[in-house]
Amino acid sequence: MKTVKSIFASFILIALVSVSAFAGTDSNVIAVVNKAEWCPTCQKNGMRAMETFKANNEDMAIHFIANDLTDDESKKKSAEALEKVGLAKVMADHKGTGVVYFFDAESKELINQVSVAKPNEELAEAIATAKRGAE
């Protein structure tokens, strides 16, 4: 059952990232979602957190990127995506799984971060804080 939830959460994250990618360069914030298939926090909370992020990002002000730390192959693919948005070096210092890091898209400065284990209200507030921080 945990595997099914993990797979479903991954699909939601991919959908969220894909939709976010179509937002183009209008996004003021880049959110890097550190996840891994072996992460118990991700397995338990990933799906709920991604649904909350999606519901609070209808304006597409935040561009989500998955940083999959499951294994060497997924890390390599994620590093390529992070390089494209200029966050590869910055993310070298942020290896915690089950955490979302919000960066100003222009300056690449960290605005805030939140664990996906937090309640929905705190996840929504993290999105709002990130949007205000990039204004």
Side-chain angles (χ1 to χ4, degrees):
M1 185 65 156
K2 286 183 180 182
T3 303
V4 173
K5 285 183 180 181
S6 178
I7 292 169
F8 189 66
S10 293
F11 283 129
I12 289 177
L13 176 61
I14 289 167
L16 180 61
V17 170
S18 298
V19 170
S20 180
F22 290 115
T25 58
D26 293 340
S27 299
N28 297 327
V29 176
I30 299 170
V32 179
V33 182
N34 276 10
K35 67 175 225 61
E37 290 179 16
W38 46 259
C39 170
T41 301
C42 301
Q43 293 171 359
K44 184 176 179 182
N45 300 288
M47 184 170 46
R48 176 190 55 82
M50 291 304 108
E51 289 171 355
T52 301
F53 290 140
K54 183 179 178 184
N56 287 276
N57 191 40
E58 291 178 351
D59 60 358
M60 297 298 189
I62 298 178
H63 174 81
F64 284 84
I65 296 177
N67 187 21
D68 189 344
L69 303 172
T70 299
D71 55 35
D72 289 340
E73 184 178 329
S74 65
K75 288 177 186 177
K76 183 179 177 183
K77 288 179 183 179
S78 294
E80 292 170 5
L82 291 171
E83 187 67 42
K84 287 181 183 178
V85 296
L87 288 172
K89 290 181 183 178
V90 175
M91 284 306 295
D93 295 332
H94 303 288
K95 296 294 184 189
T97 58
V99 179
V100 181
Y101 300 91
F102 297 92
F103 295 91
D104 182 283
E106 194 171 315
S107 71
K108 308 303 188 234
E109 294 291 322
L110 181 66
I111 299 169
N112 67 337
Q113 66 188 52
V114 66
S115 168
V116 296
K118 295 292 183 181
N120 290 349
E121 296 78 22
E122 288 186 46
L123 298 175
E125 182 55 35
I127 289 252
T129 298
K131 288 178 182 181
R132 286 191 305 269
E135 292 177 345

